Amino acid sequence: MGADAGRGYAGRVAHPAISEYAYLSDCRSGALVTRDGSVDWWCPDRFDTPSVFSRLLDLEAGHWRLAPVATGRPGHRVERAYLPDTLVLRTVHHTPEGSVAVTDALAAEPGARGHELGMNSPAVLVRVVEGLSGRVPMALDFRPRPEYGLLTPYLHEEADGSVLADAGPVLLVLRAGGLPLRVDGDRVRHDFEMSAGQVVGLDLAYGRAYGSPPARLDPVTAVAETVRAWEAFRETHRYEGEYPDLVRRSATVLTGLTYARSGAVAAAATTSLPELPGGDRNYDYRYSWLRDFAMTMRALWVAACPSEASRLFAWAARSIGRVGSEPVPVLFGLEGERDVSEHECRYLTGYAGSRPVRTGNDAWRQRQLDVPGEVVAAVWRLRDHLGDRFDLELREMVLGLTEQVAATWHLPDQGMWETRDAERHYLSSKVLCWVTMDRAVQLAPRLGERADPRRWAGIRDEIRSTVLREGFDERVGAYTGAFGSPELDASALLLPVMRFLPATDPRMRATIEAVQRDLGTDSGLVRRWRTDPAGFLLCSFWLVECLVLAGERARARALFERVVGHANDVGLLSEQVDPVTGAQLGNTPQALSHIGLINAAWRLTDPADF
């Protein structure tokens, strides 16, 4: 597991390491819970809406802790794992007084099965405590802070023993299975004992102040129903390839990052977890990126999730709408919103003092020429599933994206890493422009009379010759990140992955070796560029794929196993990893990291099936 985050700013207690967090999902929202039983993040209405617990980003911004009193003291030991093929977490605490298990879940709708998971999630966080041995003193500490910690709610003791938290647009109802909850100022604290065989169920239900009241569920029944819903979902999927346990876990995480009502996949469940503790590269990833589209689609297809892939595509087509002259946004809200303008929560201190804390992401305003290539590549990937002739909206979208690239491929852009400085002619952007034209030529028979494959092929070939001429830097002996720049960039690994060049091409082979030599680390991780402070997990998996394609299967397998070793104890991967300490960095769980794992595992299984 990764190293601790370190001592806090201004002498405060440190934040837990990012790898300390496990992830809960109901395919509507996500929550993060620590090994010591503190729910430090939950956005109950939707992944990308305000949180009610934000301790993840400020130690005073709200949490719900439920754990033995002995947590963190000598003699206390924790074991935790997801129940098989679910995001239902079971944590067993062994203490000097005895052992107790806490099972945490975001509840599925009662009776939901298979692809119904998440369609009508009730927005209820359930926690079931089970005494296993001895008599274990337990502590409950409930301190909600809605709207990213900005609101301090009124807390009301209700006649049925529950506590109502009421602030702004939010209602929360905490029920504790008959425990006599008492309000203590701005929080609820309660100490109790658990004996062997005793079971106590607790639930926290969310509702809108002016909407329907929060749902009421029996926690024990809700956990059982949620487990069955996840199991039924996974039973509809089959993966027959290498590293099946890792792929199934990553596929489950991707499902848990899917907003079921639209099919959009959030890039991560969190905002503003830093690339470097104390740094300012802290962005909101709770949206769905078109850039990741082809990789996401491929991962869902590989993991035998055709229904999710189709729904994700339908979401993208609807979100993009009619294509005009303006660049297609790189990201959208989970229901297709375009304007996700960035704001700073200046009142939050940030994870480990990393400011600013941001909500929204201004990358939606950027010109990123790779985006159409991701979408058209995804259409090409799904072509047989979509039929011999596409419907009107699909045809118009592909035609519009293709013509947009034909008119703009020669322009500079911000690149796939979303730099916030000057536009450049990024190698990966040009390669994805080539992908747009190449896949459009192949799709032309399904696009109707307006398809122009002869002209598109000419533009495709012009882009290719430009990349081959301008993209390779003789001084470095490799393809670099941008035309005219000597700086290596791991995105050059996309050339074989996207079928632009074979990995055995001499210049490409030299690039692969240069990336591993100059951007690689002793831990097997690959940085995006030389000054990148940490290894970027997706790039590391790209290197695995390139080594397979270069015929270096043994090397690729060894690298894959080193990279997946950076997952935390429940199999979650963040965006980056510190190559020295092993600490996870960046937003978590990170969809691209799990997508990279799935695609690399399948590349090791069948290099030709892409």
Side-chain angles (χ1 to χ4, degrees), residues 45-350:
D45 196 31
R46 207 172 85 171
F47 292 107
D48 54 352
T49 54
S51 59
V52 296
F53 302 126
S54 302
R55 188 175 183 270
L56 179 72
L57 300 175
D58 187 311
L59 295 171
E60 301 300 320
H63 67 281
W64 178 19
R65 186 172 179 275
L66 179 65
V69 173
T71 298
R73 299 175 184 171
H76 178 247
R77 180 170 55 88
V78 176
E79 300 172 340
R80 63 177 183 171
Y82 289 114
L83 300 183
D85 289 330
T86 77
L87 291 179
V88 176
L89 181 72
R90 179 177 169 85
T91 303
V92 179
H93 298 269
H94 301 285
T95 77
E97 297 83 10
S99 296
V100 65
V102 179
T103 302
D104 294 323
L106 286 175
E109 181 188 15
R113 295 293 183 269
H115 291 95
E116 297 171 349
L117 178 64
M119 289 295 184
N120 294 289
S121 297
V124 180
L125 174 59
V126 292
R127 315 188 76 176
V128 174
V129 188
E130 178 185 359
L132 302 179
S133 66
R135 293 181 63 82
V136 180
M138 299 287 293
L140 178 153
D141 184 12
F142 172 69
R143 193 179 183 221
R145 290 292 183 271
E147 205 164 329
Y148 303 114
L150 194 59
L151 296 176
T152 301
Y154 293 104
L155 300 178
H156 306 280
E157 296 176 8
E158 300 293 294
D160 62 358
S162 64
V163 170
L164 173 68
D166 181 4
V170 173
L171 283 178
L172 295 169
V173 178
L174 175 66
R175 304 179 183 93
L179 297 178
L181 299 178
R182 295 290 180 265
V183 172
D184 180 9
D186 64 351
R187 66 207 309 163
V188 174
R189 300 181 197 244
H190 184 68
D191 294 339
F192 59 102
E193 280 193 340
M194 291 295 299
S195 302
Q198 183 181 1
V199 177
V200 173
L202 303 92
D203 69 286
L204 177 64
Y206 161 83
R208 293 173 178 154
Y210 305 103
S212 301
R216 186 173 192 126
L217 302 176
D218 174 73
V220 175
T221 302
V223 165
E225 280 285 290
T226 303
V227 169
R228 284 195 286 270
W230 278 102
E231 289 174 343
F233 185 90
R234 292 260 57 94
E235 285 170 1
T236 64
H237 306 86
R238 294 289 180 266
Y239 169 79
E240 297 179 357
E242 299 208 26
Y243 303 100
D245 292 342
L246 294 176
V247 168
R248 286 177 70 85
R249 168 53 50 204
S250 286
T252 300
V253 173
L254 285 182
T255 301
L257 288 169
T258 300
Y259 181 66
R261 294 177 184 177
S262 69
V265 177
T270 58
T271 179
S272 301
L273 292 184
E275 296 179 10
L276 181 68
D280 63 357
R281 290 180 57 84
N282 320 314
Y283 300 116
D284 192 348
Y285 279 12
R286 298 170 300 155
Y287 305 105
S288 196
W289 264 253
L290 292 182
R291 172 190 297 107
D292 312 339
F293 198 82
M295 290 180 284
T296 305
M297 194 68 69
R298 188 173 68 173
L300 290 173
W301 200 263
V302 163
C305 307
S307 176
E308 292 92 303
S310 299
R311 295 190 66 243
L312 175 59
F313 180 79
W315 167 84
R318 182 181 182 89
S319 299
I320 292 170
R322 187 179 296 277
V323 179
S325 59
E326 290 298 311
V328 174
V330 65
L331 71 147
F332 292 89
L334 300 179
E335 293 183 359
E337 302 89 346
R338 285 201 173 206
D339 188 344
V340 291
S341 295
E342 201 168 283
H343 302 277
E344 294 185 5
C345 300
R346 298 180 183 274
Y347 54 91
L348 293 175
T349 55

Side-chain angles (χ1 to χ4, degrees), residues 283-581:
Y283 300 116
D284 192 348
Y285 279 12
R286 298 170 300 155
Y287 305 105
S288 196
W289 264 253
L290 292 182
R291 172 190 297 107
D292 312 339
F293 198 82
M295 290 180 284
T296 305
M297 194 68 69
R298 188 173 68 173
L300 290 173
W301 200 263
V302 163
C305 307
S307 176
E308 292 92 303
S310 299
R311 295 190 66 243
L312 175 59
F313 180 79
W315 167 84
R318 182 181 182 89
S319 299
I320 292 170
R322 187 179 296 277
V323 179
S325 59
E326 290 298 311
V328 174
V330 65
L331 71 147
F332 292 89
L334 300 179
E335 293 183 359
E337 302 89 346
R338 285 201 173 206
D339 188 344
V340 291
S341 295
E342 201 168 283
H343 302 277
E344 294 185 5
C345 300
R346 298 180 183 274
Y347 54 91
L348 293 175
T349 55
Y351 177 85
S354 306
R355 283 176 159 166
V357 172
R358 295 179 170 100
T359 62
N361 196 310
D362 276 345
W364 77 274
R365 305 176 189 272
Q366 295 182 351
R367 175 166 57 210
Q368 297 181 15
L369 296 174
D370 57 328
V371 173
E374 300 289 359
V375 179
V376 176
V379 177
W380 178 82
R381 179 71 183 173
L382 275 177
R383 61 195 183 280
D384 293 335
H385 187 71
L386 294 168
D388 293 334
R389 184 175 175 85
F390 299 158
D391 62 30
L392 176 62
E393 287 82 6
L394 183 55
R395 291 200 310 272
E396 289 297 315
M397 184 186 72
V398 175
L399 288 165
L401 292 175
T402 303
E403 292 298 345
Q404 187 175 93
V405 169
T408 62
W409 71 267
H410 61 284
L411 298 175
D413 74 335
Q414 302 294 154
M416 71 178 305
W417 304 129
E418 298 176 358
T419 59
R420 298 196 174 192
D421 54 9
E423 292 185 339
R424 295 180 175 86
H425 291 283
Y426 286 100
L427 178 78
S428 58
S429 296
K430 303 305 184 193
V431 169
L432 266 297
C433 288
W434 175 88
V435 168
T436 301
M437 308 313 296
D438 179 72
R439 306 308 193 261
V441 168
Q442 298 179 57
L443 290 170
R446 308 183 192 211
L447 297 176
E449 296 178 355
R450 290 173 53 209
D452 194 351
R454 185 186 298 272
R455 180 169 58 88
W456 295 346
I459 297 170
R460 175 198 63 192
D461 295 344
E462 184 181 359
I463 297 171
R464 179 181 177 82
S465 64
T466 302
V467 170
L468 294 176
R469 182 180 66 250
E470 304 290 341
F472 190 85
D473 192 295
E474 297 288 352
R475 298 165 293 175
V476 181
Y479 288 98
T480 56
F483 291 177
S485 170
E487 294 300 319
L488 278 175
D489 190 306
S491 61
L493 298 174
L494 280 173
L495 273 66
V497 172
M498 301 304 293
R499 302 185 178 188
F500 181 86
L501 273 179
T504 53
D505 174 90
R507 285 185 163 192
M508 192 63 236
R509 186 59 187 267
T511 301
I512 294 169
E513 295 300 328
V515 167
Q516 185 161 32
R517 181 184 65 248
D518 296 340
L519 301 184
T521 67
D522 292 340
S523 61
L525 298 164
V526 175
R527 295 169 294 168
R528 287 170 292 180
W529 49 78
R530 285 190 179 92
T531 58
D532 205 3
F536 202 85
L537 287 162
L538 176 64
C539 298
S540 307
F541 288 121
W542 283 345
L543 180 57
V544 171
E545 292 198 58
C546 286
L547 290 174
V548 174
L549 293 170
E552 297 271 3
R553 293 180 65 87
R555 246 174 102 189
R557 187 180 304 280
L559 177 61
F560 179 86
E561 292 179 358
R562 292 182 72 189
V563 174
V564 298
H566 292 289
N568 74 355
D569 60 320
V570 291
L572 300 183
L573 293 167
S574 64
E575 182 179 39
Q576 295 178 264
V577 172
D578 187 309
V580 177
T581 67

